[in-house]
Amino acid sequence: MGKQAFLCKYAEIGIKGKNRYKFENALCEQIRHRLSKIDGEFTVVREQGRIYVEADGDYDFEDAIEEMSHVFGVSGISPVDVIEDKNWDNLTVAVGDFVERQYGSKSFSFKVKCRRSDKGYPLTSPEVCVEMGGYLLERFPGLSVDVHEPDVYIWVEVRDKAFVYSKVYPGACGMPLGTNGKAMLLLSGGIDSPVAGYMIAKRGVYIDAVYFHAPPYTSERAQQKVVDLAKLISRYVGPIRLHVVNFTEIQMYIYEQCPHEELTIIMRRYMMRIAEKLALQNDCLGLITGESIGQVASQTMHSLAATNEVCTLPVYRPLIGFDKQEIVDISEKIGTFETSIQPFEDCCTIFVAKHPVTRPELKVIRRSEENLIEKIEDMVNTAMETIQIIEIDE
Ligand code: ATP
Ligand code: MG
């Protein structure tokens, strides 16, 4: 048997032209980082527009696939046999052994595909396909060839060494982390914001996070839930610096001084203001929220305009046009759903008015905020000074 390796395929990086090597390097680095979490020795090599991971030592196959499938930028992972001696007789046997090991039942249709970068090889690509197909049919009589819709493609690549692979495990797609700056995620305990963070990180963006905590109105369990969610997404988005802001005083003050139907909007404006300060302190280039048009009163177009007004940084809202079910589907896929639906209050749900405004007028909101002038600045400063930082790395 040849050495076990994995071919990590990537899609979008392939169109990056001159900068492509930067994306490939970032991708290799992320793959190395993920694999460093598990047992085994892994060597990640970049070769002719391909990324191979060679595996050695005592490692778990499933774990290795799982880790690589969390790396943004990887579109698929194929276990590959590396065949050092590619002379034809050896190659056919090695490919046969590969099929032997990969497939329990040997009754499926297949097609051999070949790529040959070693132009001196005695057989051309079409010849490799035909001859290899013949060899496999002879060795495994249950197999059949189907050139149009085969159950299985068997890829044979002839380079300085030969490679054979066929199964493809799906990757996370997107762009490698670290190729697109950093943003500050407003992370609550709900379904939406973890998904929003995941989606922006998928475009190569590192994530920091902020959670507004309002003890004793929100429990320690509510905060723990946010920490748990951050851990779950960090499998994809990498380490997260979670800032926990004590928001109780500010929230109470708004509650005392402003009309109750405007509470949510004004609270959200203060969350955004604080998040933006934090973002600027931490070299973040934007904010991320889980908002979606019309989902709740604070997410109508009017409300979003009112919330947005207090920010100068771009606010990324990747879920803006998604239905709830579409968001739920992603949260299930990335494994956050079960945690998100645990029943712990987050700070917005305690203070919601019976009839919140759905069409807030900016000048009305601004006027209400004038009631806060006496103390709000000090309160915001105190909130900033008493932030608790939790470093999250699954
Ligand atoms: P989610 O499911 O993400 O909690 P939601 O449907 O509950 O969202 P809102 O409570 O209106 O919606 O919040 C909208 C967005 O504001 C959230 O997606 C999140 O980005 C941010 N947010 C809300 N509450 C908090 C909080 N306590 N801490 C940090 N961010 C928050
Ligand atoms: Mg929420």
Side-chain angles (χ1 to χ4, degrees):
M1 167 187 164
K3 224 192 301 180
Q4 176 68 68
F6 299 91
L7 169 65
C8 291
K9 291 198 174 168
Y10 50 85
E12 221 174 306
I13 303 174
I15 56 172
K16 286 288 167 209
K18 269 197 201 142
N19 281 331
R20 176 166 155 171
Y21 75 97
K22 288 188 193 160
F23 289 86
E24 289 175 339
N25 286 345
L27 188 54
C28 289
E29 200 178 305
Q30 290 302 325
I31 296 171
R32 276 187 205 108
H33 174 70
R34 295 281 356 147
L35 290 171
S36 71
K37 309 253 170 209
I38 57 172
D39 289 340
E41 286 158 38
F42 300 95
T43 317
V44 182
V45 281
R46 188 158 71 83
E47 209 177 78
Q48 297 174 7
R50 292 275 162 130
I51 291 173
Y52 292 100
V53 176
E54 290 178 357
D56 233 329
D58 219 0
Y59 75 97
D60 185 276
F61 180 85
E62 306 288 332
D63 286 352
I65 297 278
E66 162 110 359
E67 289 304 326
M68 287 185 272
S69 73
H70 286 137
V71 176
F72 290 132
V74 173
S75 63
I77 304 130
S78 295
V80 183
D81 275 7
V82 182
I83 302 152
E84 306 273 345
D85 175 0
K86 65 187 175 188
N87 91 59
W88 182 248
D89 288 342
N90 193 59
L91 182 61
T92 47
V93 174
V95 170
D97 291 350
F98 170 83
V99 172
E100 177 75 54
R101 267 182 299 109
Q102 291 278 314
Y103 296 96
S105 140
K106 309 286 185 301
S107 56
F108 52 82
S109 63
F110 74 100
K111 177 178 181 176
V112 177
K113 301 267 264 178
C114 177
R115 275 201 202 175
R116 192 188 62 142
S117 63
D118 172 6
K119 298 297 174 200
Y121 198 68
L123 282 79
T124 62
S125 295
E127 284 167 353
V128 169
C129 294
V130 172
E131 299 293 325
M132 190 63 79
Y135 170 83
L136 292 174
L137 285 174
E138 206 167 291
R139 180 160 163 187
F140 306 107
L143 299 192
S144 59
V145 169
D146 181 341
V147 290
H148 300 295
E149 272 185 50
D151 299 326
V152 168
Y153 283 98
I154 297 170
W155 284 89
V156 178
E157 299 200 359
V158 184
R159 299 163 178 256
D160 54 339
K161 301 169 199 165
F163 300 83
V164 54
Y165 59 90
S166 73
K167 286 188 180 162
V168 185
Y169 295 84
C173 296
M175 306 292 287
L177 287 176
T179 55
N180 235 323
K182 189 164 70 164
M184 180 65 70
L185 168 67
L186 284 88
L187 181 62
S188 65
I191 295 170
D192 307 325
S193 46
V195 173
Y198 164 87
M199 287 187 64
I200 295 298
K202 185 168 180 239
R203 301 307 301 166
V205 179
Y206 276 127
I207 301 286
D208 270 353
V210 52
Y211 167 58
F212 295 90
H213 188 36
Y217 303 100
T218 58
S219 64
E220 280 309 309
R221 279 299 296 136
Q223 176 174 328
Q224 186 56 42
K225 181 178 165 189
V226 174
V227 170
D228 293 345
L229 287 169
K231 278 190 186 158
L232 288 172
I233 58 169
S234 81
R235 289 185 304 172
Y236 291 93
V237 313
I240 300 172
R241 176 174 270 235
L242 173 65
H243 303 77
V244 180
V245 177
N246 188 323
F247 203 55
T248 313
E249 236 197 344
I250 296 174
Q251 203 163 334
M252 289 306 293
Y253 190 46
I254 300 172
Y255 190 68
E256 285 158 17
Q257 302 291 324
C258 302
H260 287 185
E261 62 277 11
E262 292 167 19
L263 264 183
T264 310
I265 293 292
I266 296 176
M267 252 167 43
R268 294 202 46 72
R269 280 163 63 94
Y270 276 96
M271 283 188 187
M272 298 302 268
R273 287 178 172 114
I274 293 174
E276 176 159 285
K277 281 181 196 286
L278 268 177
L280 292 169
Q281 279 179 6
N282 287 279
D283 301 321
C284 293
L285 299 169
L287 304 177
I288 307 167
T289 74
E291 290 158 314
S292 155
I293 293 173
Q295 197 189 75
V296 285
S298 59
Q299 296 176 30
T300 62
M301 290 283 273
H302 294 76
S303 300
L304 287 168
T307 316
N308 204 61
E309 191 221 15
V310 300
C311 298
T312 53
L313 282 176
V315 181
Y316 296 102
R317 300 180 171 92
L319 309 181
I320 200 70
F322 279 31
D323 292 349
K324 194 72 187 185
Q325 189 56 47
E326 292 170 310
I327 303 170
V328 166
D329 289 347
I330 302 176
S331 80
E332 282 178 333
K333 191 184 90 181
I334 65 173
T336 52
F337 183 71
E338 290 302 326
T339 304
S340 288
I341 58 172
Q342 287 173 12
F344 302 108
E345 301 287 4
D346 72 18
C347 64
C348 293
T349 47
I350 304 274
F351 289 90
V352 265
K354 278 217 177 70
H355 301 289
V357 279
T358 53
R359 289 170 166 258
E361 264 187 70
L362 271 178
K363 58 175 191 299
V364 176
I365 298 288
R366 286 194 203 120
R367 204 178 308 131
S368 302
E369 283 184 354
E370 281 169 16
N371 300 345
L372 303 170
I373 277 175
E374 195 189 333
K375 294 188 188 161
I376 196 73
E377 206 180 309
D378 283 349
M379 287 181 173
V380 168
N381 289 340
T382 306
M384 291 291 293
E385 283 157 15
T386 55
I387 281 173
Q388 184 198 352
I389 292 179
I390 305 176
E391 302 284 352
I392 309 273
D393 191 1
E394 25 135 13

